[in-house]
Amino acid sequence: MTSGALSVKDFLDKAKLVSYGFFGLLILFLILFFSSPYLLVSKADPKKSDAIVLETIETGKKDKFKQAATLWKKGLAPVIVILHSPPNQDSDLGIVGDPTASLQTYLISLGVDETKILVYTVEAGPQEFPKTLLKIALDRQWKTFLLIGKEYDSATLLKLYRNVLEPAGIYIAVSKVSEGIGSWDWFTKPKSLESILGRLSKHLYLILLGN
């Protein structure tokens, strides 16, 4: 055997290490893939709060408004705070004209007292919603919030808001709105697969950024 040549034993040992590394990464990927829905769903338990919070990016979604109204009528919070970014021409709520009045009108139609609806328009966009909520909390001396969010957005929303609110001693949880995506068969449907993997990428990106 010439000097520096790799023996059969050494070759097999190196091949084993490579294969162990490959299969280890493959197993890790499969675990992450199939557990995606569980990583994206908030585990924080909703409780009675100072305010229910609704994000209305452009105009909002009817299912979130209905859940907010239901929770308000059950007494989980005395008021509903709407964090609103300016709309475009599309409207899931059929908004025409002044969006603030229309958002209030839609909640009133669901049985919410008009005096218990507070709308804050955030011109800078939804990325400023957590900071706006912090200002509201400090102004009104509120300490607990219940945010309405889609089921598979809930963990990401919780991370974004807690990063801003927790240092001030403010608690927030997410009341999850069902999206009709099963945790066992989501990967068998192209639209569900694309949706979950897209949200997982955003969630992991936030973790890598330390948010």
Short mmCIF file of all heavy atoms in Angstrom, two decimals, residues 150-199:
data_model
loop_
_atom_site.label_atom_id
_atom_site.label_comp_id
_atom_site.label_asym_id
_atom_site.label_seq_id
_atom_site.Cartn_x
_atom_site.Cartn_y
_atom_site.Cartn_z
N LYS A 150 -55.48 33.65 13.38
CA LYS A 150 -55.69 32.36 12.72
C LYS A 150 -54.85 31.29 13.40
O LYS A 150 -53.75 31.56 13.88
CB LYS A 150 -55.34 32.47 11.24
CG LYS A 150 -56.33 33.30 10.44
CD LYS A 150 -56.01 33.25 8.96
CE LYS A 150 -57.05 34.01 8.15
NZ LYS A 150 -56.78 33.95 6.70
N GLU A 151 -55.38 30.08 13.40
CA GLU A 151 -54.78 28.98 14.15
C GLU A 151 -53.29 28.81 13.87
O GLU A 151 -52.47 28.76 14.80
CB GLU A 151 -55.52 27.68 13.82
CG GLU A 151 -55.07 26.48 14.62
CD GLU A 151 -55.90 25.24 14.33
OE1 GLU A 151 -56.70 25.27 13.36
OE2 GLU A 151 -55.75 24.26 15.06
N TYR A 152 -52.91 28.75 12.60
CA TYR A 152 -51.52 28.46 12.26
C TYR A 152 -50.65 29.72 12.14
O TYR A 152 -49.49 29.63 11.75
CB TYR A 152 -51.45 27.62 10.99
CG TYR A 152 -52.07 26.25 11.19
CD1 TYR A 152 -53.27 25.91 10.57
CD2 TYR A 152 -51.47 25.32 12.03
CE1 TYR A 152 -53.86 24.67 10.78
CE2 TYR A 152 -52.06 24.09 12.25
CZ TYR A 152 -53.24 23.76 11.63
OH TYR A 152 -53.82 22.53 11.85
N ASP A 153 -51.23 30.86 12.51
CA ASP A 153 -50.45 32.09 12.68
C ASP A 153 -50.22 32.39 14.16
O ASP A 153 -49.46 33.31 14.49
CB ASP A 153 -51.18 33.29 12.05
CG ASP A 153 -51.17 33.26 10.54
OD1 ASP A 153 -50.23 32.68 9.96
OD2 ASP A 153 -52.10 33.82 9.93
N SER A 154 -50.90 31.66 15.03
CA SER A 154 -50.99 32.05 16.44
C SER A 154 -49.63 32.06 17.15
O SER A 154 -49.34 32.98 17.92
CB SER A 154 -51.98 31.16 17.18
OG SER A 154 -51.61 29.79 17.09
N ALA A 155 -48.78 31.07 16.92
CA ALA A 155 -47.48 31.04 17.60
C ALA A 155 -46.58 32.18 17.13
O ALA A 155 -45.86 32.79 17.91
CB ALA A 155 -46.79 29.70 17.37
N THR A 156 -46.63 32.48 15.84
CA THR A 156 -45.82 33.58 15.28
C THR A 156 -46.31 34.92 15.81
O THR A 156 -45.51 35.78 16.21
CB THR A 156 -45.89 33.57 13.75
OG1 THR A 156 -45.42 32.30 13.27
CG2 THR A 156 -45.00 34.66 13.17
N LEU A 157 -47.63 35.12 15.85
CA LEU A 157 -48.19 36.35 16.40
C LEU A 157 -47.80 36.52 17.86
O LEU A 157 -47.42 37.61 18.30
CB LEU A 157 -49.72 36.33 16.29
CG LEU A 157 -50.31 36.60 14.91
CD1 LEU A 157 -51.81 36.33 14.92
CD2 LEU A 157 -50.04 38.04 14.48
N LEU A 158 -47.89 35.44 18.61
CA LEU A 158 -47.56 35.49 20.04
C LEU A 158 -46.10 35.89 20.23
O LEU A 158 -45.77 36.71 21.10
CB LEU A 158 -47.83 34.13 20.68
CG LEU A 158 -47.85 34.09 22.20
CD1 LEU A 158 -48.99 34.95 22.74
CD2 LEU A 158 -47.99 32.67 22.70
N LYS A 159 -45.23 35.35 19.41
CA LYS A 159 -43.80 35.67 19.50
C LYS A 159 -43.56 37.15 19.20
O LYS A 159 -42.80 37.83 19.90
CB LYS A 159 -43.01 34.79 18.54
CG LYS A 159 -41.50 34.99 18.58
CD LYS A 159 -40.80 33.98 17.71
CE LYS A 159 -40.82 32.61 18.30
NZ LYS A 159 -40.04 32.52 19.56
N LEU A 160 -44.20 37.67 18.15
CA LEU A 160 -44.02 39.07 17.77
C LEU A 160 -44.52 40.02 18.85
O LEU A 160 -43.85 41.01 19.19
CB LEU A 160 -44.77 39.35 16.46
CG LEU A 160 -44.16 38.74 15.19
CD1 LEU A 160 -45.14 38.86 14.03
CD2 LEU A 160 -42.85 39.42 14.85
N TYR A 161 -45.69 39.74 19.41
CA TYR A 161 -46.26 40.63 20.42
C TYR A 161 -45.55 40.50 21.76
O TYR A 161 -45.31 41.50 22.45
CB TYR A 161 -47.76 40.35 20.59
CG TYR A 161 -48.60 41.07 19.57
CD1 TYR A 161 -48.83 40.54 18.31
CD2 TYR A 161 -49.18 42.30 19.86
CE1 TYR A 161 -49.60 41.21 17.36
CE2 TYR A 161 -49.96 42.98 18.93
CZ TYR A 161 -50.16 42.42 17.68
OH TYR A 161 -50.93 43.09 16.76
N ARG A 162 -45.22 39.28 22.16
CA ARG A 162 -44.56 39.09 23.45
C ARG A 162 -43.18 39.76 23.48
O ARG A 162 -42.75 40.24 24.53
CB ARG A 162 -44.42 37.60 23.77
CG ARG A 162 -45.71 37.01 24.33
CD ARG A 162 -45.50 35.60 24.81
NE ARG A 162 -46.65 35.13 25.57
CZ ARG A 162 -46.77 33.90 26.06
NH1 ARG A 162 -45.81 33.01 25.83
NH2 ARG A 162 -47.82 33.56 26.74
N ASN A 163 -42.51 39.77 22.36
CA ASN A 163 -41.19 40.40 22.30
C ASN A 163 -41.27 41.88 22.67
O ASN A 163 -40.33 42.43 23.25
CB ASN A 163 -40.62 40.26 20.89
CG ASN A 163 -39.19 40.72 20.79
OD1 ASN A 163 -38.34 40.31 21.57
ND2 ASN A 163 -38.90 41.61 19.86
N VAL A 164 -42.41 42.51 22.36
CA VAL A 164 -42.60 43.93 22.66
C VAL A 164 -43.27 44.15 24.01
O VAL A 164 -42.90 45.05 24.77
CB VAL A 164 -43.44 44.60 21.55
CG1 VAL A 164 -43.77 46.05 21.89
CG2 VAL A 164 -42.70 44.52 20.21
N LEU A 165 -44.25 43.31 24.36
CA LEU A 165 -45.08 43.54 25.53
C LEU A 165 -44.52 42.95 26.83
O LEU A 165 -44.67 43.55 27.91
CB LEU A 165 -46.48 42.98 25.30
CG LEU A 165 -47.29 43.58 24.14
CD1 LEU A 165 -48.61 42.86 23.99
CD2 LEU A 165 -47.51 45.06 24.34
N GLU A 166 -43.89 41.80 26.75
CA GLU A 166 -43.44 41.13 27.97
C GLU A 166 -42.44 41.95 28.79
O GLU A 166 -42.51 41.93 30.02
CB GLU A 166 -42.87 39.75 27.65
CG GLU A 166 -43.94 38.69 27.53
CD GLU A 166 -43.38 37.28 27.60
OE1 GLU A 166 -42.16 37.11 27.35
OE2 GLU A 166 -44.16 36.36 27.89
N PRO A 167 -41.49 42.66 28.15
CA PRO A 167 -40.57 43.47 28.96
C PRO A 167 -41.28 44.51 29.82
O PRO A 167 -40.74 44.96 30.84
CB PRO A 167 -39.67 44.15 27.91
CG PRO A 167 -39.68 43.20 26.76
CD PRO A 167 -41.08 42.66 26.73
N ALA A 168 -42.49 44.91 29.42
CA ALA A 168 -43.28 45.88 30.20
C ALA A 168 -44.22 45.19 31.18
O ALA A 168 -45.06 45.84 31.81
CB ALA A 168 -44.08 46.78 29.26
N GLY A 169 -44.10 43.86 31.30
CA GLY A 169 -44.93 43.11 32.23
C GLY A 169 -46.36 42.92 31.76
O GLY A 169 -47.28 42.77 32.59
N ILE A 170 -46.56 42.91 30.46
CA ILE A 170 -47.91 42.78 29.89
C ILE A 170 -48.09 41.38 29.31
O ILE A 170 -47.25 40.92 28.53
CB ILE A 170 -48.15 43.85 28.81
CG1 ILE A 170 -48.03 45.25 29.43
CG2 ILE A 170 -49.52 43.68 28.16
CD1 ILE A 170 -47.91 46.36 28.41
N TYR A 171 -49.18 40.73 29.68
CA TYR A 171 -49.45 39.35 29.22
C TYR A 171 -50.36 39.38 28.00
O TYR A 171 -51.31 40.17 27.93
CB TYR A 171 -50.14 38.56 30.34
CG TYR A 171 -50.52 37.16 29.94
CD1 TYR A 171 -49.61 36.11 30.02
CD2 TYR A 171 -51.82 36.87 29.48
CE1 TYR A 171 -49.96 34.82 29.65
CE2 TYR A 171 -52.18 35.59 29.11
CZ TYR A 171 -51.24 34.56 29.20
OH TYR A 171 -51.59 33.29 28.82
N ILE A 172 -50.05 38.52 27.03
CA ILE A 172 -50.92 38.39 25.86
C ILE A 172 -51.05 36.92 25.49
O ILE A 172 -50.09 36.15 25.59
CB ILE A 172 -50.39 39.20 24.66
CG1 ILE A 172 -51.42 39.19 23.50
CG2 ILE A 172 -49.02 38.70 24.20
CD1 ILE A 172 -51.17 40.25 22.45
N ALA A 173 -52.25 36.53 25.11
CA ALA A 173 -52.51 35.18 24.59
C ALA A 173 -53.25 35.32 23.28
O ALA A 173 -53.71 36.42 22.92
CB ALA A 173 -53.33 34.37 25.59
N VAL A 174 -53.37 34.22 22.55
CA VAL A 174 -54.05 34.25 21.25
C VAL A 174 -55.25 33.31 21.27
O VAL A 174 -55.11 32.14 21.63
CB VAL A 174 -53.09 33.84 20.10
CG1 VAL A 174 -53.82 33.88 18.76
CG2 VAL A 174 -51.88 34.77 20.05
N SER A 175 -56.40 33.84 20.90
CA SER A 175 -57.58 33.00 20.70
C SER A 175 -57.57 32.56 19.24
O SER A 175 -57.62 33.39 18.33
CB SER A 175 -58.86 33.78 21.01
OG SER A 175 -59.99 32.98 20.74
N LYS A 176 -57.48 31.27 19.02
CA LYS A 176 -57.23 30.73 17.68
C LYS A 176 -58.52 30.52 16.88
O LYS A 176 -59.46 29.90 17.36
CB LYS A 176 -56.47 29.41 17.81
CG LYS A 176 -55.12 29.57 18.50
CD LYS A 176 -54.41 28.24 18.69
CE LYS A 176 -54.98 27.44 19.84
NZ LYS A 176 -54.65 28.05 21.16
N VAL A 177 -58.50 31.04 15.65
CA VAL A 177 -59.61 30.85 14.72
C VAL A 177 -59.28 29.67 13.82
O VAL A 177 -58.23 29.66 13.16
CB VAL A 177 -59.84 32.12 13.87
CG1 VAL A 177 -60.94 31.87 12.83
CG2 VAL A 177 -60.19 33.30 14.75
N SER A 178 -60.13 28.67 13.79
CA SER A 178 -59.88 27.47 12.97
C SER A 178 -59.82 27.82 11.49
O SER A 178 -60.59 28.65 11.00
CB SER A 178 -60.98 26.44 13.22
OG SER A 178 -60.81 25.32 12.37
N GLU A 179 -58.89 27.16 10.79
CA GLU A 179 -58.73 27.40 9.35
C GLU A 179 -59.17 26.21 8.51
O GLU A 179 -59.06 26.24 7.29
CB GLU A 179 -57.27 27.73 9.05
CG GLU A 179 -56.76 28.96 9.75
CD GLU A 179 -55.33 29.28 9.38
OE1 GLU A 179 -55.06 29.51 8.19
OE2 GLU A 179 -54.48 29.31 10.28
N GLY A 180 -59.63 25.15 9.16
CA GLY A 180 -60.07 23.98 8.42
C GLY A 180 -58.92 23.17 7.83
O GLY A 180 -59.12 22.41 6.88
N ILE A 181 -57.72 23.34 8.39
CA ILE A 181 -56.55 22.58 7.94
C ILE A 181 -56.24 21.54 8.99
O ILE A 181 -55.93 21.87 10.14
CB ILE A 181 -55.32 23.49 7.73
CG1 ILE A 181 -55.62 24.56 6.66
CG2 ILE A 181 -54.10 22.68 7.31
CD1 ILE A 181 -54.49 25.57 6.47
N GLY A 182 -56.32 20.27 8.62
CA GLY A 182 -56.08 19.19 9.57
C GLY A 182 -54.60 19.04 9.91
O GLY A 182 -53.74 19.16 9.05
N SER A 183 -54.30 18.77 11.18
CA SER A 183 -52.90 18.61 11.61
C SER A 183 -52.30 17.29 11.15
O SER A 183 -51.08 17.11 11.19
CB SER A 183 -52.81 18.71 13.13
OG SER A 183 -53.60 17.71 13.75
N TRP A 184 -53.15 16.35 10.67
CA TRP A 184 -52.66 15.04 10.24
C TRP A 184 -52.58 14.89 8.73
O TRP A 184 -51.82 14.05 8.23
CB TRP A 184 -53.55 13.93 10.82
CG TRP A 184 -53.47 13.82 12.31
CD1 TRP A 184 -54.37 14.29 13.22
CD2 TRP A 184 -52.42 13.22 13.06
NE1 TRP A 184 -53.94 14.04 14.50
CE2 TRP A 184 -52.75 13.37 14.44
CE3 TRP A 184 -51.23 12.57 12.72
CZ2 TRP A 184 -51.93 12.89 15.46
CZ3 TRP A 184 -50.41 12.09 13.75
CH2 TRP A 184 -50.76 12.26 15.09
N ASP A 185 -53.33 15.67 8.01
CA ASP A 185 -53.35 15.47 6.55
C ASP A 185 -53.03 16.74 5.76
O ASP A 185 -53.26 16.80 4.56
CB ASP A 185 -54.71 14.93 6.12
CG ASP A 185 -55.85 15.90 6.40
OD1 ASP A 185 -55.61 16.92 7.09
OD2 ASP A 185 -56.98 15.65 5.95
N TRP A 186 -52.49 17.77 6.44
CA TRP A 186 -52.23 19.05 5.77
C TRP A 186 -51.30 18.91 4.58
O TRP A 186 -51.42 19.63 3.60
CB TRP A 186 -51.65 20.05 6.77
CG TRP A 186 -50.34 19.60 7.37
CD1 TRP A 186 -50.19 18.82 8.47
CD2 TRP A 186 -49.03 19.89 6.89
NE1 TRP A 186 -48.85 18.60 8.71
CE2 TRP A 186 -48.12 19.25 7.76
CE3 TRP A 186 -48.53 20.62 5.82
CZ2 TRP A 186 -46.74 19.31 7.59
CZ3 TRP A 186 -47.15 20.69 5.63
CH2 TRP A 186 -46.28 20.05 6.52
N PHE A 187 -50.36 17.95 4.65
CA PHE A 187 -49.34 17.81 3.60
C PHE A 187 -49.88 17.08 2.36
O PHE A 187 -49.18 16.98 1.35
CB PHE A 187 -48.12 17.07 4.14
CG PHE A 187 -48.45 15.79 4.86
CD1 PHE A 187 -48.59 14.60 4.18
CD2 PHE A 187 -48.65 15.80 6.23
CE1 PHE A 187 -48.90 13.44 4.84
CE2 PHE A 187 -48.97 14.63 6.91
CZ PHE A 187 -49.10 13.44 6.21
N THR A 188 -51.11 16.60 2.43
CA THR A 188 -51.69 15.89 1.27
C THR A 188 -52.45 16.84 0.34
O THR A 188 -52.86 16.43 -0.73
CB THR A 188 -52.65 14.79 1.75
OG1 THR A 188 -53.76 15.39 2.43
CG2 THR A 188 -51.94 13.82 2.69
N LYS A 189 -52.62 18.09 0.78
CA LYS A 189 -53.36 19.06 -0.02
C LYS A 189 -52.41 20.19 -0.42
O LYS A 189 -51.84 20.85 0.45
CB LYS A 189 -54.53 19.62 0.79
CG LYS A 189 -55.48 18.53 1.28
CD LYS A 189 -56.47 19.06 2.28
CE LYS A 189 -57.34 17.95 2.86
NZ LYS A 189 -58.25 18.44 3.92
N PRO A 190 -52.24 20.42 -1.73
CA PRO A 190 -51.26 21.41 -2.20
C PRO A 190 -51.40 22.79 -1.55
O PRO A 190 -50.40 23.38 -1.14
CB PRO A 190 -51.53 21.48 -3.70
CG PRO A 190 -52.09 20.13 -4.04
CD PRO A 190 -52.90 19.73 -2.85
N LYS A 191 -52.62 23.32 -1.42
CA LYS A 191 -52.79 24.66 -0.85
C LYS A 191 -52.42 24.68 0.62
O LYS A 191 -51.78 25.63 1.10
CB LYS A 191 -54.25 25.12 -1.03
CG LYS A 191 -54.61 25.47 -2.47
CD LYS A 191 -55.98 26.10 -2.58
CE LYS A 191 -56.02 27.49 -1.97
NZ LYS A 191 -57.33 28.15 -2.20
N SER A 192 -52.80 23.64 1.36
CA SER A 192 -52.45 23.56 2.77
C SER A 192 -50.95 23.40 2.94
O SER A 192 -50.34 24.03 3.83
CB SER A 192 -53.18 22.39 3.43
OG SER A 192 -54.57 22.55 3.36
N LEU A 193 -50.33 22.58 2.12
CA LEU A 193 -48.89 22.36 2.18
C LEU A 193 -48.14 23.67 1.95
O LEU A 193 -47.23 24.02 2.71
CB LEU A 193 -48.48 21.33 1.12
CG LEU A 193 -46.98 21.02 1.00
CD1 LEU A 193 -46.46 20.38 2.26
CD2 LEU A 193 -46.73 20.11 -0.21
N GLU A 194 -48.53 24.40 0.92
CA GLU A 194 -47.87 25.67 0.62
C GLU A 194 -48.06 26.67 1.75
O GLU A 194 -47.11 27.38 2.15
CB GLU A 194 -48.45 26.24 -0.68
CG GLU A 194 -47.82 27.56 -1.11
CD GLU A 194 -48.44 28.12 -2.37
OE1 GLU A 194 -49.33 27.45 -2.96
OE2 GLU A 194 -48.06 29.22 -2.78
N SER A 195 -49.26 26.72 2.30
CA SER A 195 -49.56 27.66 3.37
C SER A 195 -48.76 27.36 4.64
O SER A 195 -48.13 28.25 5.22
CB SER A 195 -51.06 27.62 3.70
OG SER A 195 -51.37 28.47 4.78
N ILE A 196 -48.75 26.11 5.06
CA ILE A 196 -48.06 25.73 6.30
C ILE A 196 -46.55 25.91 6.17
O ILE A 196 -45.90 26.46 7.07
CB ILE A 196 -48.38 24.27 6.68
CG1 ILE A 196 -49.86 24.13 7.06
CG2 ILE A 196 -47.51 23.80 7.84
CD1 ILE A 196 -50.28 24.88 8.30
N LEU A 197 -45.97 25.48 5.05
CA LEU A 197 -44.51 25.60 4.88
C LEU A 197 -44.09 27.07 4.78
O LEU A 197 -43.03 27.45 5.29
CB LEU A 197 -44.06 24.83 3.64
CG LEU A 197 -44.17 23.31 3.73
CD1 LEU A 197 -43.62 22.65 2.47
CD2 LEU A 197 -43.42 22.78 4.97
N GLY A 198 -44.92 27.90 4.16
CA GLY A 198 -44.62 29.32 4.09
C GLY A 198 -44.61 29.95 5.48
O GLY A 198 -43.72 30.74 5.82
N ARG A 199 -45.57 29.60 6.30
CA ARG A 199 -45.65 30.14 7.65
C ARG A 199 -44.53 29.59 8.54
O ARG A 199 -44.01 30.30 9.41
CB ARG A 199 -47.02 29.83 8.26
CG ARG A 199 -48.16 30.48 7.51
CD ARG A 199 -49.46 30.28 8.25
NE ARG A 199 -50.57 30.17 7.33
CZ ARG A 199 -51.84 30.13 7.71
NH1 ARG A 199 -52.15 30.19 8.98
NH2 ARG A 199 -52.80 30.02 6.81
#
